[in-house]
Amino acid sequence: MNRNKNRNNRLNSMDAKGRVPFPAFLRKNLGKKVILTKGYDPCIYVYSEKEWKEFIERIKKDWSLYDIEKRKIVREIMGISQEVEFDNYGRILLPGKLVEYADIKEKCLFISMPRWIEIWDPVKYEEYQKDVAEKVQKGTINMEGFPL
């Protein structure tokens, strides 16, 4: 029996060395290595090698050297990205700079997204969820066309 009722997230503890067990149900389609980088929100994005290559291709297709703002964003994402391997116990080592960026303290909340996985500090994620919920209720987030 699966004790985790939520199919899209899991909470695991990070050890003193920065290693965290990666949930098996999320790990199964990723391969032996993943690419970690900054998320657009205060979290860490996890890409499979295949999805990372596709992400790079989308950037190349939609990117101009003359677009200063896009160049800044690409540099920010690419400059801190790291390839990491799963160890024999299914753990990954979270790089210190990414842990600091996402403000992860001890626990890691894994969120499955359509093209990547996010790793959040659970307290930060709860704050984020409250903020989004308030904005949806006030109508300041446009939900028009969202497939609910």
Side-chain angles (χ1 to χ4, degrees):
M1 182 173 145
N2 185 357
R3 288 176 284 169
N4 182 17
K5 300 288 186 202
N6 191 328
R7 295 177 29 161
N8 292 319
N9 68 49
R10 179 68 50 93
L11 187 65
N12 284 338
S13 295
M14 181 175 59
D15 69 14
K17 295 180 181 179
R19 298 174 302 194
V20 63
F22 208 95
F25 76 101
L26 294 175
R27 190 177 67 236
K28 67 182 176 184
N29 296 320
L30 293 175
K32 294 181 182 184
K33 298 177 188 176
V34 292
I35 291 78
L36 307 178
T37 194
K38 282 183 173 182
Y40 296 117
D41 298 301
C43 64
I44 299 170
Y45 280 7
V46 181
Y47 288 93
S48 68
E49 288 181 290
K50 178 182 180 279
E51 189 57 49
W52 181 253
K53 287 176 186 171
E54 291 173 9
F55 174 65
I56 299 301
E57 288 305 313
R58 287 191 301 275
I59 289 172
K60 287 178 182 178
K61 184 178 179 182
D62 186 47
W63 186 50
S64 167
L65 284 172
Y66 305 107
D67 188 329
I68 294 169
E69 295 306 313
K70 282 186 181 177
R71 196 168 61 232
K72 287 178 185 177
I73 292 169
V74 170
R75 187 177 295 121
E76 189 72 14
I77 292 169
M78 302 302 291
I80 199 165
S81 66
Q82 283 196 314
E83 183 179 277
V84 297
E85 290 186 36
F86 292 104
D87 68 12
N88 293 334
Y89 302 102
R91 299 175 301 189
I92 57 170
L93 177 64
L94 298 178
K97 289 214 181 266
L98 289 173
V99 169
E100 184 179 321
Y101 166 76
D103 200 20
I104 295 172
K105 305 290 188 240
E106 179 185 331
K107 301 272 187 193
C108 294
L109 180 64
F110 291 80
I111 307 288
S112 177
M113 299 294 285
R115 291 186 172 169
W116 64 87
I117 296 164
E118 296 178 347
I119 304 175
W120 286 79
D121 177 87
V123 173
K124 287 282 183 198
Y125 186 70
E126 188 174 320
E127 291 168 1
Y128 175 83
Q129 281 187 307
K130 285 179 184 176
D131 182 55
V132 170
E134 287 175 13
K135 288 178 179 175
V136 168
Q137 285 179 351
K138 290 178 183 175
T140 57
I141 291 181
N142 183 1
M143 297 295 290
E144 185 179 326
F146 192 77
L148 292 178

